[in-house]
Amino acid sequence: MCSNPSVTPNKSAVVDAKTTAAAVEKILATGPQILEEVGQAPIFQKEQTREFPSFTRQELEFGKVLGVGAFGVVREVLNIHHSAQGSDDDEADSQSEQPQHPLAGNRVDAHHYDISIAKNRMVKQCMRHGEARYAVKYLKTQEIDAQERARGRIDLAIEVQYLHALNHPNIVKMRGYFDTSGDRLHPDNFFLMDRLYGTLEDRIDEWKTCLKEHAPKGLCGLLSKSKRAHHDEFSKNLLQERLVGAYDIASAFRYMHSHKLIYR
């Protein structure tokens, strides 16, 4: 009796697909309970959370990739396609008439905290000095399997939940999120944040390069008082800049640790 060699692989594929689907469903079923537990974290008892404007994918024009993580991708936002209502003057009047949000650290940042004008302002100020002002983080669609992506959906929802409350000048702020209609584990979930124009690693490399470039060259450089004075002054300023950077990082860690959060 002849056998059909195509039957077994097809059945196997169906079984694998069902097994994977069941595993994904099981992972996602844990999401609501995990998010509920996250909501009991100390930070939500101490910090005031706030609302953010919501966006759809169609409203955002993505630029180059800025970074890739275990499950997420970060890209710059080149444009926000949204029909902004009103004028800058109207928004300025609205901002001046309303009390400043307690989380807004200064007037420049305050418009992000007024939900009535935040989206319009983000549309109009999407670029700053020719550079994208905002970045978007979303889940990978490739390079990870269905189960990893399911875990990523939960991780991204947790990150968004914490960013609703985190408020420190040295921690990147969320500025908007995907309109999930209440489904925080939506597969197309994403959030907008302030774009970073460099990392600590980048800055350390810059400092090393600057030190080499301004180091006295040769015997003449070592013997020249003016060149040594210039180098000493430059080194002093650079040290000050590095100490400020170290203080800012320590300040952010102290803030996180005060809320029993760790950076990993």
Side-chain angles (χ1 to χ4, degrees):
M1 181 177 179
C2 296
S3 61
N4 186 346
S6 64
V7 173
T8 301
N10 286 342
K11 285 186 176 180
S12 177
V14 171
V15 171
D16 289 344
K18 288 183 177 179
T19 302
T20 299
V24 168
E25 186 175 347
K26 184 176 180 180
I27 292 170
L28 293 176
T30 66
Q33 177 63 32
I34 292 174
L35 293 175
E36 183 177 346
E37 292 175 359
V38 168
Q40 303 304 313
I43 187 172
F44 297 104
Q45 314 306 319
K46 298 179 181 179
E47 292 283 7
Q48 178 181 350
T49 59
R50 69 181 179 89
E51 293 301 316
F52 294 85
S54 61
F55 297 84
T56 64
R57 286 248 180 171
Q58 290 71 30
E59 290 181 298
L60 305 179
E61 181 181 336
F62 297 164
K64 65 183 179 182
V65 173
L66 301 175
V68 179
F71 64 85
V73 178
V74 177
R75 299 180 68 172
E76 63 181 4
V77 177
L78 295 179
N79 201 359
I80 301 176
H81 302 287
H82 170 71
S83 299
Q85 303 297 321
S87 64
D88 289 337
D89 292 337
D90 294 336
E91 290 170 2
D93 292 340
S94 172
Q95 185 170 314
S96 62
E97 292 170 0
Q98 298 181 10
Q100 184 170 323
H101 193 287
L103 293 184
N106 52 61
R107 292 283 296 179
V108 175
D109 192 54
H111 70 268
H112 282 112
Y113 293 84
D114 185 344
I115 195 66
S116 66
I117 64 172
K119 191 167 185 175
N120 285 356
R121 278 295 184 90
M122 289 177 68
V123 170
K124 295 174 181 178
Q125 300 178 4
C126 190
M127 302 295 289
R128 179 168 53 187
H129 306 304
E131 295 279 356
R133 183 173 184 175
Y134 303 108
V136 60
K137 182 174 183 178
Y138 59 89
L139 293 175
K140 288 180 178 177
T141 56
Q142 300 175 345
E143 300 178 5
I144 57 175
D145 60 33
Q147 295 182 53
E148 289 178 319
R149 184 170 170 79
R151 296 187 186 96
R153 287 163 66 176
I154 296 175
D155 283 353
L156 190 64
I158 292 173
E159 188 171 0
V160 169
Q161 188 165 344
Y162 275 118
L163 287 172
H164 270 87
L166 286 170
N167 181 41
H168 189 276
N170 302 115
I171 297 177
V172 176
K173 290 181 173 62
M174 182 168 72
R175 297 304 188 186
Y177 60 96
F178 176 52
D179 183 4
T180 62
S181 300
D183 181 8
R184 292 190 289 173
L185 299 177
H186 195 286
D188 294 328
N189 197 11
F190 64 79
F191 68 87
L192 276 75
M193 56 186 166
D194 290 331
R195 176 188 170 178
L196 282 178
Y197 296 97
T199 65
L200 177 61
E201 185 176 2
D202 294 333
R203 188 59 59 86
I204 290 174
D205 289 339
E206 290 176 8
W207 290 333
K208 289 179 179 178
T209 300
C210 287
L211 282 173
K212 289 181 180 179
E213 290 178 349
H214 289 79
K217 303 294 191 301
L219 183 59
C220 292
L222 292 172
L223 296 177
S224 171
K225 289 185 179 181
S226 62
K227 290 184 178 180
R228 276 188 293 146
H230 172 75
H231 176 262
D232 291 344
E233 182 65 21
F234 176 80
S235 298
K236 178 181 176 181
N237 293 335
L238 190 60
L239 176 60
Q240 183 178 17
E241 182 180 337
R242 293 157 69 187
L243 288 174
V244 170
Y247 177 86
D248 288 344
I249 293 172
S251 176
F253 279 137
R254 185 174 186 274
Y255 169 81
M256 294 177 66
H257 293 167
S258 71
H259 293 299
K260 300 188 184 304
L261 297 174
I262 61 171
Y263 173 83
R264 61 176 176 85

